[in-house]
Amino acid sequence: MSGSVWLPPGSRPDTLPGIPRQRTPSWARPDPVDELAARLEEFIAAAVHPDEIAALLESDGLSDDQIRERYGVKNSFALAETLYERVERRYPEPDGPAPDPWQTGLLGCLLRGVVFALPGLAYVLGAPLFTGPGDHGLPAGTVPLLAGALCGWTWNQGLAHRAYAWLGLGDRPAARRALLLGAPAGALLGSLVAVSFAGGAAPAVVAFAAGQSCYLAAATVLLVMGRERLLLLALAPMATGAVVSLADPLPETAGLALLLGSLAAVGVLGLREVAPALKGGQGWTAGLVALLPFGAFGTLPAHRRPAGPRLTGSLPYALFGLATGVLVLYAALGDVLAGESAGAVAAPAAVALTLSMGPAEWLLYRFRSGSLAGLRSSSTARDFRRTTVRTVVRCLAAYLAVLLALSLAASALWPHAPVPDGVRPAGLLLLGVVLWTGLLLQSFGAVTGATAVCCAAALVQTLLLVTRTGDPHVAGAVVYGTAAAVQAALVCHLLGRATAHR
């Protein structure tokens, strides 16, 4: 056992005979697909579709012949699907906080709400002008003012959409040109409507209504171009004088001077914003081109006409402005128009709705931000739909709380305001649901549905008031509630889909 190993003759003791090695069977080799999956694991785990993996394989120079030889599958797409199935999805989180383009400051939105409400103080200074017999139980001169205001809301809502459409295309000069022609046209149209409804109103009332139309046109220019602060500064003298006049009435000449001064300041600022469009000597012609969907009365060939937003695209927004204006008007004056009250005008409701537009705008941004976060955190369509509904409910509840607080505060401060009962606040809150959900649908481009619902509600309430069917506030609450339910259903149906949030 301890002897040396026998070697054949001629052999050296430091060499051993070769031992044949056994080959590894093919079934025992590592799977090449698994090896490729391990090498590309990070990329495959982050892929959202197999086509991404197929593109990577082809960019590495792998041909279908090589893939069939090495991996035993038909082509790059078949290999990509195999890799996609073998690696679990692991989407990497972005570095730092996720970008949110819908973040906006509350102060700016509140400022817009204040700017919307401040012009109402002009009626305090202009009250001495409203002399003469009343119309349909309303104070003297109210009918031409309301007619001009409704016309202005309708026209300027459509004009603002058209200007914003040009801004969205990155063409700020075209937006200015559209406002250059559209704003004076709206002021003229509103003045003519006020004159046509003047009846036996005093000339001072007609002049006030014309000034109101001019203000709405110039304010639209400033708001579209993002000049809210300038508009606030222009209105400050008039607003200050109106507040002082509530405690100690100012002389009529002083009030008139404040009104004309603020109106002139707003007009000059609006003209200053559109003045660059006048350069080059083609301001009015270019404004017509920007405002209408064709060139100068269609004289340009079709291939030379400037591409821009369709004119019909602004029509639903104009009708939405008209319908919501009518609904707000009825919330403030519905009982008076029905002949059931001779003096009380629910102006606090209109003031509360106007002031609430600032918080409403901010809450729209919060909803967009919340829905974007829901897109990131939800793994299924059902989870996203549930998250969206919760976000809508939270934002809407916050808006209604603000609206209720503003309504109670305005009713407490307004002289001789009607005492809020159960029906008035309920109707106001239901109208708030209609307005906020309508603005929400409008912000997602679903303006047609919102416009149809609001127009139908305004038409039905008008018929109820004309025929004097039931109590105006109960009828209004029923109409608002029905419209709110329909629009809430539209919101849940549309915004529950992820594709609506692109």
Side-chain angles (χ1 to χ4, degrees):
M1 294 294 292
S2 61
S4 58
V5 178
W6 177 84
L7 298 175
S11 306
R12 297 189 307 171
D14 58 346
T15 63
L16 293 175
I19 301 176
R21 296 179 179 271
Q22 294 184 350
R23 288 188 174 184
T24 303
S26 59
W27 53 265
R29 296 177 184 174
D31 187 353
V33 177
D34 287 339
E35 291 181 339
L36 183 61
R39 181 163 61 89
L40 303 178
E41 182 177 7
E42 291 186 6
F43 181 86
I44 299 173
V48 298
H49 194 274
D51 287 354
E52 294 185 46
I53 306 172
L56 177 66
L57 297 175
E58 293 175 354
S59 67
D60 284 344
L62 282 176
S63 64
D64 290 345
D65 293 337
Q66 292 173 326
I67 289 173
R68 280 192 291 270
E69 181 181 351
R70 296 181 191 179
Y71 304 105
V73 293
K74 183 179 179 180
N75 51 34
S76 60
F77 293 98
L79 179 58
E81 291 179 357
T82 303
L83 295 172
Y84 188 83
E85 294 172 355
R86 294 193 183 188
V87 178
E88 184 180 358
R89 307 270 72 73
R90 294 190 307 274
Y91 300 112
E93 293 293 332
D95 297 332
D100 187 357
W102 300 107
Q103 287 290 343
T104 189
L106 176 61
L107 183 60
C109 295
L110 293 179
L111 176 63
R112 290 176 70 89
V114 171
V115 167
F116 293 154
L118 277 184
L121 293 174
Y123 300 103
V124 176
L125 295 177
L129 304 176
F130 306 145
T131 59
D135 299 320
H136 306 287
L138 296 170
T142 305
V143 172
L145 288 175
L146 293 179
L150 284 176
C151 178
W153 291 340
T154 305
W155 178 273
N156 291 312
Q157 187 84 354
L159 176 62
H161 172 263
R162 186 150 187 85
Y164 278 125
W166 280 115
L167 290 175
L169 294 174
D171 197 342
R172 196 174 183 86
R176 281 197 174 101
R177 292 193 295 268
L179 293 170
L180 172 66
L181 187 65
L188 178 60
L189 181 62
S191 301
L192 293 176
V193 169
V195 170
S196 64
F197 281 85
V205 174
V206 178
F208 190 94
Q212 173 185 260
S213 299
C214 294
Y215 167 79
L216 290 175
T220 299
V221 173
L222 294 175
L223 290 173
V224 169
M225 303 307 290
R227 307 301 186 192
E228 295 89 352
R229 296 181 187 275
L230 291 178
L231 181 57
L232 179 63
L233 291 175
L235 293 174
M238 180 274 299
T240 304
V243 172
V244 172
S245 181
L246 290 174
D248 185 13
L250 297 176
E252 185 174 341
T253 54
L256 185 60
L258 289 174
L259 287 173
L260 293 177
S262 289
L263 177 60
V266 174
V268 169
L269 290 173
L271 181 61
R272 177 174 169 267
E273 280 299 315
V274 298
L278 291 170
K279 295 178 180 178
Q282 296 181 348
W284 297 108
T285 303
L288 183 64
V289 172
L291 184 65
L292 301 177
F294 41 82
F297 300 101
T299 57
L300 289 178
H303 67 278
R304 293 182 56 193
R305 293 175 189 172
R310 295 180 303 165
L311 184 64
T312 54
S314 300
L315 182 60
Y317 293 87
L319 294 177
F320 181 81
L322 173 62
T324 53
V326 170
L327 293 176
V328 172
L329 173 67
Y330 287 155
L333 308 176
D335 51 352
V336 181
L337 294 176
E340 300 187 7
S341 176
V345 176
V351 173
L353 286 169
T354 305
L355 285 173
S356 70
M357 288 298 101
E361 181 181 354
W362 184 74
L363 288 169
L364 290 176
Y365 278 102
R366 295 305 305 158
F367 173 78
R368 297 301 295 261
S369 178
S371 62
L372 183 62
L375 280 173
R376 292 196 209 81
S377 61
S378 302
S379 56
T380 64
R382 180 175 297 178
D383 289 342
F384 175 71
R385 190 178 300 109
R386 192 179 299 116
T387 301
T388 301
V389 171
R390 284 199 299 264
T391 306
V392 169
V393 171
R394 283 198 302 267
C395 293
L396 182 57
Y399 172 68
L400 294 180
V402 171
L403 178 59
L404 180 60
L406 290 173
S407 174
L408 295 177
S411 298
L413 296 175
W414 198 271
H416 311 295
V419 179
D421 52 14
V423 179
R424 285 178 183 271
L428 180 63
L429 294 180
L430 290 172
L431 178 57
V433 175
V434 174
L435 295 179
W436 194 81
T437 53
L439 292 173
L440 181 60
L441 291 170
Q442 187 182 113
S443 68
F444 279 87
V447 66
T448 304
T451 299
V453 173
C454 291
C455 286
L459 180 60
V460 170
Q461 193 168 8
T462 300
L463 294 176
L464 292 176
L465 288 172
V466 169
T467 58
R468 305 197 176 199
T469 304
D471 180 80
H473 292 293
V474 175
V478 172
V479 172
Y480 300 151
T482 304
V486 173
Q487 288 197 163
L490 288 176
V491 167
C492 293
H493 173 71
L494 172 67
L495 304 187
R497 298 177 297 175
T499 54
H501 299 259
R502 291 178 292 182

